[in-house]
Amino acid sequence: MPVSVTEETYDDVVVKAEKLVLLDVWAPWCGPCLTMEPRLRELEAAFDGKIVLAKLNVDEEPGLTTRLGIMALPTVRVVQNGRTRFEAVGVVDQSKLATAIGAALQEEIISEA
């Protein structure tokens, strides 16, 4: 289940997250954002509890959007330990996102060993 992100919850949900975070920065009026929605949900399901899908609605959180330096929609970030590991703007191929998530998860496994 996706988690909505606000200015108040961003640090807890994204920066301090124990799991890898797939951050979806979107708006309800953004057609490409709506195209990405099912792809992101499929990725969340495919990685079965290893990632968190966090959604940031730019209309509801303009201050946070500015703070994060978001310039275009949709923007999708893979965030690990508070650091952006991958960022894509626009409609992105699901396999490209899956590769970025898999690489970040693999690196996490290696660093824990």
Side-chain angles (χ1 to χ4, degrees):
M1 278 304 285
V3 178
S4 292
V5 177
T6 65
E7 184 81 48
E8 294 77 30
T9 64
Y10 179 79
D11 285 345
D12 287 335
V13 172
V14 179
V15 176
K16 299 175 185 173
E18 292 182 17
K19 294 181 181 180
L20 195 72
V21 178
L22 185 59
L23 178 64
D24 176 25
V25 185
W26 72 288
W29 46 263
C30 168
C33 298
L34 301 178
T35 298
M36 288 298 297
E37 173 68 20
R39 295 176 188 189
L40 298 176
R41 286 182 181 261
E42 286 174 18
L43 284 168
E44 180 187 33
F47 282 96
D48 194 28
K50 293 183 177 124
I51 67 170
V52 172
L53 176 57
K55 298 186 62 64
L56 170 58
N57 182 330
V58 298
D59 290 342
E60 294 175 358
E61 297 295 332
L64 179 57
T65 302
T66 300
R67 182 178 123 200
L68 297 176
I70 303 300
M71 303 301 272
L73 297 178
T75 295
V76 178
R77 291 181 176 171
V78 174
V79 182
Q80 183 179 41
N81 300 321
R83 293 180 25 237
T84 299
R85 304 303 306 270
F86 175 84
E87 180 174 314
V89 176
V91 176
V92 182
D93 186 63
Q94 191 172 11
S95 65
K96 187 173 186 177
L97 287 171
T99 299
I101 293 167
L105 288 172
Q106 184 62 32
E107 194 170 297
E108 184 176 275
I109 291 167
I110 291 169
S111 67
E112 289 177 1

